[in-house]
Structures are given as structure tokens and as C-alpha cells.
Amino acid sequence: MLPSVARSLHSSSRMSGSSAAAALYAMTTSTTLGAVPENVKDLTHHAKEGKGYRNPWDSYRDFTASGILKALMMRRLSGKQRAPDTTPPTVPVRKPSFLQSRVTPQLRATWLGHACYYVEFPGGFRVLFDPVFTDRCSPFSFMGPKRYTEPPCEVENLPYVDAVVISHNHYDHLSHPTIMKIQKKYPNVHFFAPLGNKAWFDGCGIHNMTEVDWWESRSVVLEKSGPEVKDTAAVSGDPETITATIGCLPCQHTSARTPFDKSHTLWASWSIESGGKKLWFGGDTGYRSVPEIEENEDKNADYGADFAHLPICPAFKQIGDLRGPFDLGLIPIGAYDPRYIMSPMHANPYDSVNIFLDTKCKRAMGIHWGTWVLTEEDVLEPPQILKKALAWKSLPETGVFDVCDIGESREFEADVESKL
């Protein structure tokens, strides 16, 4: 377990329509306990020889970078490789509407593209997940996957950011330019990431950061602080104290920023509980590893009887049993073709619905699609296949596991959702 960490004077932006500054908050984080698997102390996900981490399940099959490149090259030479059409219109993009105070009656979530969500919790806690506001998800500004949908807003448009939660260090989830913009806008915002990522943040000059291992949790307390508080108390309605619990949880993926550091840092899903609501963020994950087969139109051929023996990742049921249920899950549904290459790392919608059920999420929104072409499926295919996967499990087509426009906000009550 990591030691307790204290941070002070978390800066919030100025309130819209008011000349008074929003209240400043002092943040304190500390280790807290939660339910864990019996074998948690075995640290089976830590590499036993050398540096880094591993997926400790039979559901994972390791593909080296050279192996993936070779397989993709063979698809190109054989004429099997598909190039998705990104000609507009694709995924609708709208200007988001954020709350301009911390008064929030319900859990409120806004999709900002790909895996990035801005979540406003009842009680006032504000979290940004996997923010990438750059044009390309690449170490270069001139090459690499380029957006086919625009960001719905800029970092500067976010009214409050208390915590930034990172699932892993791939460029479509961890963006240096974006992180630096957030740090400039909110100099004391706190960053959370899995083990091994602190050195990267230190290299950026960012020290208000906590790295966490699977099944570890941190308690967060924000308290009003500073001379501005007395001037804003009457106008903002901001709570005196905001609390949250942030949990680092398993997923089936990998990490790398260069060709030479694969799996040197950990990858994770996350849970956050605040204001009486619980959320699970899947980040980026696979569920099963499937062989190369001839797929059908519904993309569920590998769930047939001939493949029932394929192992599934047990971590999601553990998450549901030990930390669930969750009011909302943010679950990846895209970047899955060709399936035999991508399945160890990326869920397709059939996997996603199983993950939804395993983790005991009451509601879910689809992430990890609609922004960059990373794989071969059509850009609008993930939500179409999601509907078929929901029917496969006898779940309603809408109102349980949904998708939305980029920039759209949804509010979640116990059994009711409103679209904003």
C-alpha cells in the first residue's frame, strides 16, 4: 500500500455569471480498505522476472508488437484488410452543457469522445477520465491516428476538475499536451493512475499524483479553504466538504509508450463512489481471446457452441461481487476488428454486455469508439452490434446499456435516465 498523501488548495474556475470566484478546496487523500479477492497478496499480475506487469488469466493471449504488425501485413497482402469510411456524417458532436456550480441532484456524465468522460457526482465531486483533446492520438503531431470527430469542447471549458483518472498509458488514453493543459488550468488537480506511471508524471513536473495497484483504494476529502471561501459561500451553494472513494481495479489489457516498454506500467479499470453514487470505468479491456474464424454479420460467431470452452476473464465477476453493484458503468465497445488479433485487449459489444452483467452495473454507456480509426470495423458499427448483443442477453435495446452523441450529457437516477 502507498502512504497517505495530502494536497492543498485545489483551484476551481470562476463561476459563470458571477463576479465571485468559486470556492477553493484543500484535498486530502489516504489509503482505505475495501473487499478484495482471497489471493490479492499473491500479486499474480506483477511480473515475476524482470520489470513490469502481466495479465494473470488464461483468457489472455499475448501478441507481440511484431506479431501484430505481421498479422496486419498478411491481411493487407491477402486483401482482407478493411479501411473504415470516415466521410461525414459519422458520430454527432454537440456542444456540452456543464453545471456551473457543484450543486448536482443526480449522477451526471458527459461523453467527450473515445474513452473520455466528464462525471459530475451528487455532492460536488468532479472527475475527468482518460482525457485526450489532441487531434492525433500519437507521440507526434504530424502522424498517427487523426480524429474524424472534433472534440466537443476544450479543457478550458470544464468548470471544475477535482481528479483526473487514467486507465493506462497508451496515447489514446494518456496525452501529454492534454495533461499539461489540465495542470495549467487547475494547478492542484490530483491525478490517479496505475502503478509505474508516477515517473512519467514526475517527468512532466506534476507531483500531485497518486499511483495505485489493483484492489487498492484511496479516500478523498475536499474541504473549503482559503480567504475566498467567505466571499463565495453565499452565492455558490458549494458544499463545505466533498468526499469520494477511488478504487483501482483489474482489467485485461497492456501498456506501452514506445516499442521498448511494453507492460512496464500497469493498466486498470476504476471505481468511484461519491455523493451516494457508484461508478465503474472500464477504460480499455479485453474479455476473451478468440481464434481466427470466419465471422458472421452479427459478429458473435465466436460465442457459438464450438467456442464455449474459451476462458473468460474472471476479474469482472470479482469486481461485481466484491465492489458492485454500480449505478453506472462506462464500458468500452469499440476497436475490436480483426477479432483474433484484438480480442485479448479490446472487447467487442458481445464481450461488453457480458462485462456489464459481470460487474453488476445497473446502467452503462459505451466508450472507446467514435473518435479515431484504430481498427478495421466500420466507425458506426459498435452501437449497431451493441443492440444485437443486448437482444442476445434479453436486455432492452435502449435504457440499460446505451450510447450517446459526443458532448451529450446524461443524468442517472436509480431507475430513470434523462437525456440533456
Side-chain angles (χ1 to χ4, degrees), residues 64-207:
T64 63
S66 60
I68 292 175
L69 289 174
K70 180 180 178 181
L72 293 176
M73 183 62 68
M74 291 301 296
R75 287 181 62 80
R76 176 177 294 182
L77 293 175
S78 66
K80 293 181 179 179
Q81 189 176 56
R82 299 187 299 272
D85 181 10
T86 60
T87 305
T90 55
V91 183
V93 180
R94 62 171 75 177
K95 183 179 179 181
S97 175
F98 304 114
L99 299 178
Q100 296 303 315
S101 80
R102 292 181 179 270
V103 179
T104 316
Q106 298 295 337
L107 181 66
R108 192 172 190 272
T110 305
W111 187 34
L112 302 181
H114 199 53
C116 181
Y117 250 92
Y118 180 74
V119 180
E120 299 159 295
F121 283 86
F125 196 51
R126 303 291 185 258
V127 184
L128 190 59
F129 292 94
D130 281 4
V132 180
F133 285 80
T134 51
D135 192 38
R136 297 184 186 272
C137 59
S138 164
F140 309 105
S141 61
F142 56 89
M143 63 180 293
K146 182 179 174 63
R147 283 181 180 268
Y148 61 87
T149 51
E150 293 296 318
C153 66
E154 298 297 332
V155 168
E156 291 76 13
N157 301 130
L158 302 173
Y160 308 87
V161 181
D162 299 312
V164 174
V165 174
I166 303 296
S167 64
H168 66 295
N169 72 355
H170 284 158
Y171 285 91
D172 56 326
H173 297 258
L174 178 62
S175 162
H176 177 268
T178 300
I179 294 299
M180 298 311 295
K181 280 187 177 182
I182 294 170
Q183 175 70 5
K184 182 178 180 180
K185 172 74 173 178
Y186 302 99
N188 295 291
V189 63
H190 204 94
F191 296 87
F192 293 86
L195 286 184
N197 285 288
K198 191 175 190 308
W200 185 89
F201 282 89
D202 286 344
C204 297
I206 297 173
H207 305 293

